[in-house]
């Protein structure tokens, strides 16, 4: 529990027992009815974030949740493990939580298959087949379907109806009627069969059993729930990925000695060593040395930051240059990395999961069916047809209204859609994602690594009169190849690509903050800032000075090259735009989306990139932690926002956006925070992902329609007392076959560039 504003406190409760988004809404409603309480409940993460007056006890909050029919508890603090001790991994814990559902699914499928087969194939109906069916179906209806019955009871106590209610009522009706027919009717007679005929005529309900409907529905629905639960359990993986970015160990300076300790032991004021290639352990201030720090994993911007004594550095960034000694200024939950993790968590908690379409339909459909069943019962009793005929017709209404295909509608479409997406480099996390793709009208694009390549690249070479470009690349590339600086490596890589093998320099020297110098093939070469050349009494000629000014005005890095006492060239280095980005923007516009470029880079760079790819709206110079605020502001304006990003700094914004699309070439934190992952790293895949998601959603909607339509069409037969087991079974089978066939059409989806 944490204290927020004076007089208030905040707690995060772990909620158990939720089966759908309507459960989360019910808990949220109950908590918010308490005086002095504000709560948001997230079905995906199974957490409730509650702000409450300090005079309220957390136990009261937990009691309110429990009174609603669910469980609640404060999350257990992380356990410190003894050295060498290894506890279960998060993956193992998640598998353990899924195990009961998996066991119920295996039980249901194993036992339901022979029950369905015997009911639908007369040749398998041996002398006592109906009693064997009862033996096999009973564990399915009682044990495997127990979560549905429990949820239906909870819903009933609060006057609500969901898909669980429909499943529970239908399966119990089918099972209890079958029990009555077997023990008190004629269905238990040895040699009884269900003939394979679809005659519409009044039948003796006492001779019919519907165990295949009860067992089959349970098995299909459990399969859908299991696959959904597997995707839902990854909701908190973004936080784990974020926290794993930090350094695990750090070299602390104690009394002139270097001591390696776990990063968790760092305290404010302690000094620690960061060697080239190491991660900076925590936020701090440089007290010794100078270097280039690669902060791209945290900020998303590819240009390295030059730091020296007195400059601030951020934990989890990479020291790309020289040796640094840093004094810790923030540790633990106060660091920028921890604050970004908190932003991601808050965004996930505040992002309401879409209620399942099946639940929305069930909320209307279930009361109608129950009313129709009661009306049927009353009608037949009123006409004097007798109790058996009346109950036969009423129960038949409940049985036929429980559509088996409902359990297949979402998972089959999702399975085929996600499978096709994976082939095209698009990963869809879950069914909630699909509903959002239909509504988005604005797409916010991170610049670095999304619209651009995310790495520094040699873009252009400007040469002085009489200087050959090949000579510039060979001599400058040779010197830069010996430097660890990211910009130097960009020059070396670009030079090697154009001129081949680079010569080895002599007398190489790195001049901190200015550049490098050395002797290459007998030439005294300088590569770096204009100031470096000035110190050697060299000036850029006007043509090169103009090229340098133009490059810097466009936000690019300009590097001067000189040898043998003369300035010879200016090299332009920048984060290159991906070749496919302009085409991707055109496709996104064609889908009705308004693109916005969002970046922490300076405005000149952002506007230059936006103009080149065809984006009109630019939001630049945004701090990493402020990106989520930009998304919130756009949402407050009434826009439905999609966000595409790849850096840690994008994770909170991806979680906050209505639809988060993470570039698969980016960081794990961004990938886990997104709803869709674009494995190809090609922005055109964003347009394909939205098209595929919308098509998959359309398939789910049509599946749900037909799942109900086949069964609704048979309701009049049931109410008229004309339903026989073969018509009930056929309705179940035909609707299931149609749903699967409709879903398989998604295999033909094609990416626009293929």
């Amino acid at each position: 529990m944490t204290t927020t504003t004076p007089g208030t406190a905040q707690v995060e409760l772990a909620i158990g027992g939720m089966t759908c988004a309507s459960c989360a809404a019910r808990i949220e409603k109950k908590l918010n009815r308490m005086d002095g309480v504000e709560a948001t409940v997230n079905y995906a993460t199974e957490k409730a974030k509650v702000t409450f007056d300090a005079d309220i006890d957390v136990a009261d909050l937990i009691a309110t949740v429990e009174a609603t029919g669910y469980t609640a508890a404060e999350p257990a603090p992380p356990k410190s493990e003894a050295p060498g001790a290894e506890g279960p991994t998060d993956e193992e814990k998640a598998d353990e939580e899924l195990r009961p559902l998996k066991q119920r699914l295996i039980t249901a499928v194993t036992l339901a298959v022979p029950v369905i087969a015997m009911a639908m194939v007369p040749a398998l109906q041996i002398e006592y087949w109906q009693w064997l069916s009862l033996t096999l179906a009973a564990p399915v209806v009682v044990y495997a379907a127990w979560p549905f019955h429990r949820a239906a009871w909870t819903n009933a106590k609060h006057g609500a109806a969901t898909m669980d209610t429909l499943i529970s009522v239908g399966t119990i009706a089918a099972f209890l009627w079958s029990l009555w027919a077997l023990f008190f009717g004629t269905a238990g007679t040895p040699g009884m069969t269900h003939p394979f005929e679809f005659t519409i005529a009044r039948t003796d309900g006492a001779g019919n059993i519907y165990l295949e409907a009860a067992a089959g529905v349970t098995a299909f629905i459990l399969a859908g729930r299991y696959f959904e639960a597997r995707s839902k359990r990854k909701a908190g993986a973004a936080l784990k990925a974020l926290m794993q970015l930090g350094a695990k160990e750090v070299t602390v300076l104690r009394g002139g000695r270097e001591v390696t300790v776990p990063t968790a032991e760092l305290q404010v004021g302690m000094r620690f060593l960061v060697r080239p290639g190491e991660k900076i352990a925590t936020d701090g201030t440089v007290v010794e040395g100078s270097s280039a720090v690669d902060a791209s994993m945290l900020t998303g911007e590819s240009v390295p930051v030059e730091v020296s004594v007195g400059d601030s550095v951020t934990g989890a960034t990479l020291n790309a240059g020289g040796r640094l000694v840093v004094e810790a200024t923030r540790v633990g939950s106060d660091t920028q990395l921890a604050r970004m993790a908190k932003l991601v968590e808050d965004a996930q908690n505040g992002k309401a999961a879409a209620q399942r379409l099946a639940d929305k339909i069930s909320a209307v459909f279930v009361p109608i069916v129950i009313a129709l069943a009661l009306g049927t019962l009353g009608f037949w009793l009123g006409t004097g047809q007798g109790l058996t005929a009346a109950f036969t017709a009423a129960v038949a209404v409940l049985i036929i209204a429980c559509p088996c295909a409902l359990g297949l509608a979402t998972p089959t479409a999702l399975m085929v859609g996600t499978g096709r997406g994976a082939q095209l480099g698009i990963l869809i996390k879950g069914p909630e994602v699909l509903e959002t793709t239909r509504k988005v009208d604005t797409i916010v694009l991170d610049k670095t690594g999304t619209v651009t390549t995310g790495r520094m690249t040699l873009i252009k070479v400007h040469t002085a009169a009489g200087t050959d470009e090949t000579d510039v690349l060979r001599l400058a590339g040779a010197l830069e190849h010996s430097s660890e600086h990211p910009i130097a490596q960009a020059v070396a890589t670009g030079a090697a690509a154009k001129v081949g093998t680079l010569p080895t320099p002599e007398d190489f020297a790195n001049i901190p903050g200015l550049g490098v110098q050395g002797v290459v093939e007998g030439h005294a070469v300088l590569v770096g800032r204009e100031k470096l050349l000035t110190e050697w009494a060299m000036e850029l000629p006007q043509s090169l000075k103009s090229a340098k000014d133009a490059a810097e005005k466009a936000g690019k890095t300009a590097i001067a090259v000189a040898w043998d006492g003369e300035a010879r060239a200016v090299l332009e280095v920048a984060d290159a735009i991906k070749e496919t980005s302009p085409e991707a923007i055109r496709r996104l516009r064609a889908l009705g989306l308004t693109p916005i470029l969002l970046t922490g880079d300076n405005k000149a760079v952002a506007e230059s990139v936006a103009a080149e790819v065809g984006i009109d709206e630019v939001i630049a110079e945004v701090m990493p932690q402020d990106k989520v605020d930009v998304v919130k502001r756009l949402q407050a304006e009434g826009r439905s926002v999609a966000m595409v990003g790849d850096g840690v700094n994008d994770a909170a914004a991806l979680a906050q956006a209505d639809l988060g699309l993470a570039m698969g070439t980016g960081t794990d934190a961004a990938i886990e925070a997104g709803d869709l992952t674009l494995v190809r790293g090609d922005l055109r895949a964003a347009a394909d992902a939205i098209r595929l998601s919308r098509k998959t959603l359309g398939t789910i909607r049509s599946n749900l329609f037909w799942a109900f339509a086949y069964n609704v069409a048979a309701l009049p037969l049931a109410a008229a007392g004309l339903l026989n087991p073969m018509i009930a079974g056929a309705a179940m089978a035909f609707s299931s076959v149609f749903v699967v066939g409709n879903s398989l059409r998604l295999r033909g989806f094609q990416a626009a560039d293929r």
Side-chain angles (χ1 to χ4, degrees), residues 90-104:
D90 288 349
E91 191 72 20
E92 290 169 343
K93 289 177 184 175
D95 287 339
E96 188 65 33
E97 290 173 5
L98 277 178
R99 187 164 296 160
L101 180 57
K102 187 177 181 180
Q103 289 172 343
R104 293 182 196 276

Side-chain angles (χ1 to χ4, degrees), residues 388-418:
T388 300
F391 269 101
T392 298
V395 172
V397 168
L398 295 176
I399 292 168
I400 198 64
C402 187
C404 168
L406 190 64
L408 292 171
T410 297
T412 53
L414 193 62
M415 199 179 302
V416 178
T418 54

Side-chain angles (χ1 to χ4, degrees), residues 114-115 118 124 126 128-138 211:
V115 173
M118 285 189 287
L124 298 177
I126 57 178
Y128 291 100
W129 73 275
Q130 68 271 49
W131 295 100
L132 176 58
S133 291
L134 175 63
T135 305
L136 296 174
L211 293 170

Side-chain angles (χ1 to χ4, degrees), residues 379-521:
F379 173 80
W380 286 109
L381 287 175
T383 57
Q385 294 296 318
L387 195 61
T388 300
F391 269 101
T392 298
V395 172
V397 168
L398 295 176
I399 292 168
I400 198 64
C402 187
C404 168
L406 190 64
L408 292 171
T410 297
T412 53
L414 193 62
M415 199 179 302
V416 178
T418 54
R420 182 57 183 150
Q423 292 175 337
L424 300 174
I426 302 162
L427 304 181
I428 303 172
K429 282 198 175 176
E432 306 86 16
V433 174
L434 304 176
E435 286 195 58
T436 310
T437 61
R438 180 176 54 88
K439 298 179 292 184
V440 291
D441 52 35
T442 301
I443 186 160
V444 176
L445 304 164
D446 170 55
K447 178 182 73 69
T448 309
T450 302
V451 176
T452 64
T453 61
R455 60 181 181 275
M456 301 302 287
T457 306
L458 179 60
I459 302 293
K460 199 169 184 181
V461 180
H462 301 275
T463 58
T467 303
D468 184 61
E469 181 177 320
T470 302
D471 293 336
V472 173
L473 291 172
R474 190 176 68 257
L475 298 179
L479 263 193
E480 296 285 56
H481 185 66
S482 299
S483 171
E484 296 175 338
H485 198 288
I487 291 179
Q489 287 300 305
V491 172
T493 301
K498 291 187 177 181
V499 302
T501 305
L502 300 172
T504 302
E506 301 171 16
D507 298 327
F508 172 83
N510 180 37
I511 302 149
L514 292 178
V516 292
Q517 65 184 45
V519 177
V520 183
E521 295 181 338

